[in-house]
Amino acid sequence: MSLGLTEECPNPTLIEGFLRHKLRMARPAPEPTPANLVVAGRLVSFMVNGGKARSGMLTLVPGDDAGCISVTSFLGATMLGMQKLQKAPLLREDGWIDTLVVRDVCGA
Protein backbone atom coordinates (compact mmCIF):
# COMPACT_ATOMS: atom_id res chain seq x y z
CA MET A 1 0.00 0.00 0.00
CA SER A 2 1.42 3.40 -1.00
CA LEU A 3 1.41 6.41 1.29
CA GLY A 4 0.66 8.56 -1.78
CA LEU A 5 3.22 11.24 -0.94
CA THR A 6 6.28 10.09 -2.84
CA GLU A 7 5.37 10.54 -6.50
CA GLU A 8 7.69 13.54 -7.04
CA CYS A 9 10.70 12.38 -5.03
CA PRO A 10 13.84 10.94 -6.66
CA ASN A 11 13.66 7.50 -5.01
CA PRO A 12 10.06 6.91 -3.91
CA THR A 13 10.58 3.28 -2.89
CA LEU A 14 13.44 4.10 -0.54
CA ILE A 15 11.73 7.18 0.97
CA GLU A 16 8.49 5.27 1.49
CA GLY A 17 10.33 2.41 3.20
CA PHE A 18 12.20 4.85 5.41
CA LEU A 19 8.99 6.67 6.40
CA ARG A 20 7.28 3.35 7.16
CA HIS A 21 10.23 2.42 9.40
CA LYS A 22 9.96 5.76 11.21
CA LEU A 23 6.22 5.18 11.75
CA ARG A 24 6.88 1.74 13.24
CA MET A 25 9.50 3.17 15.60
CA ALA A 26 7.50 6.30 16.56
CA ARG A 27 5.77 6.82 19.85
CA PRO A 28 3.05 9.36 20.68
CA ALA A 29 4.22 12.88 21.51
CA PRO A 30 2.65 14.61 24.50
CA GLU A 31 0.07 17.30 23.86
CA PRO A 32 0.87 20.02 23.18
CA THR A 33 3.73 18.88 20.97
CA PRO A 34 7.06 19.88 22.57
CA ALA A 35 8.52 23.04 21.05
CA ASN A 36 11.87 21.34 20.34
CA LEU A 37 10.35 18.48 18.28
CA VAL A 38 10.60 18.57 14.47
CA VAL A 39 7.11 18.12 13.00
CA ALA A 40 5.40 19.42 9.86
CA GLY A 41 4.81 23.15 9.92
CA ARG A 42 7.87 24.00 11.99
CA LEU A 43 10.87 26.02 10.88
CA VAL A 44 14.03 23.97 11.38
CA SER A 45 17.59 25.26 11.54
CA PHE A 46 20.09 22.52 10.71
CA MET A 47 23.62 21.68 9.55
CA VAL A 48 24.90 18.85 7.40
CA ASN A 49 28.44 17.59 8.09
CA GLY A 50 29.25 20.69 10.16
CA GLY A 51 28.69 22.98 7.19
CA LYS A 52 26.87 26.27 7.02
CA ALA A 53 23.64 26.50 9.05
CA ARG A 54 20.53 26.40 6.88
CA SER A 55 16.82 26.48 7.65
CA GLY A 56 13.49 25.55 6.13
CA MET A 57 9.88 24.75 6.94
CA LEU A 58 9.11 21.02 7.14
CA THR A 59 6.08 20.25 4.96
CA LEU A 60 3.97 17.17 4.29
CA VAL A 61 3.30 18.04 0.66
CA PRO A 62 6.14 18.51 -1.85
CA GLY A 63 6.24 22.00 -3.32
CA ASP A 64 8.38 24.40 -5.33
CA ASP A 65 9.05 26.83 -2.47
CA ALA A 66 12.80 26.96 -1.82
CA GLY A 67 12.15 27.51 1.91
CA CYS A 68 10.23 24.24 2.31
CA ILE A 69 11.63 20.82 3.16
CA SER A 70 9.30 17.99 2.17
CA VAL A 71 9.08 14.87 4.34
CA THR A 72 9.34 12.96 1.06
CA SER A 73 12.96 14.08 0.70
CA PHE A 74 15.86 12.31 2.41
CA LEU A 75 16.48 15.46 4.48
CA GLY A 76 12.84 15.92 5.52
CA ALA A 77 12.23 12.25 6.26
CA THR A 78 15.36 12.13 8.41
CA MET A 79 14.61 15.27 10.42
CA LEU A 80 10.96 14.31 11.05
CA GLY A 81 10.67 13.50 14.77
CA MET A 82 14.14 14.72 15.68
CA GLN A 83 14.73 17.18 18.52
CA LYS A 84 16.85 20.30 18.89
CA LEU A 85 20.59 19.43 19.09
CA GLN A 86 19.99 15.82 17.97
CA LYS A 87 22.31 14.23 15.37
CA ALA A 88 21.36 11.54 12.88
CA PRO A 89 22.81 9.85 9.78
CA LEU A 90 21.49 11.41 6.59
CA LEU A 91 21.34 9.21 3.48
CA ARG A 92 22.15 11.08 0.30
CA GLU A 93 20.73 10.31 -3.13
CA ASP A 94 24.19 9.16 -4.28
CA GLY A 95 24.33 6.52 -1.51
CA TRP A 96 26.79 8.34 0.76
CA ILE A 97 25.85 9.10 4.37
CA ASP A 98 26.24 12.54 5.94
CA THR A 99 25.54 13.73 9.49
CA LEU A 100 22.47 15.90 10.11
CA VAL A 101 22.31 18.12 13.21
CA VAL A 102 19.10 19.93 14.16
CA ARG A 103 20.24 23.27 15.59
CA ASP A 104 16.87 24.79 16.44
CA VAL A 105 13.13 24.29 15.97
CA CYS A 106 10.64 27.19 15.79
CA GLY A 107 6.89 27.41 15.27
CA ALA A 108 3.70 26.05 16.68
Side-chain angles (χ1 to χ4, degrees), residues 34-77:
N36 69 341
L37 186 65
V38 178
V39 295
R42 294 212 169 146
L43 182 64
V44 182
S45 173
F46 63 95
M47 289 186 329
V48 176
N49 284 347
K52 182 179 174 186
R54 298 184 289 165
S55 63
M57 179 79 63
L58 188 65
T59 63
L60 292 175
V61 179
D64 295 331
D65 188 349
C68 291
I69 302 166
S70 171
V71 297
T72 61
S73 67
F74 289 117
L75 176 62

Side-chain angles (χ1 to χ4, degrees), residues 5 14 16 22 26 48 52 60-61 64 67 72 77-79 91 96-97 100 105:
L5 297 173
L14 186 58
E16 190 164 320
K22 288 193 86 155
V48 176
K52 182 179 174 186
L60 292 175
V61 179
D64 295 331
T72 61
T78 301
M79 69 173 47
L91 180 64
W96 288 92
I97 298 176
L100 170 67
V105 183

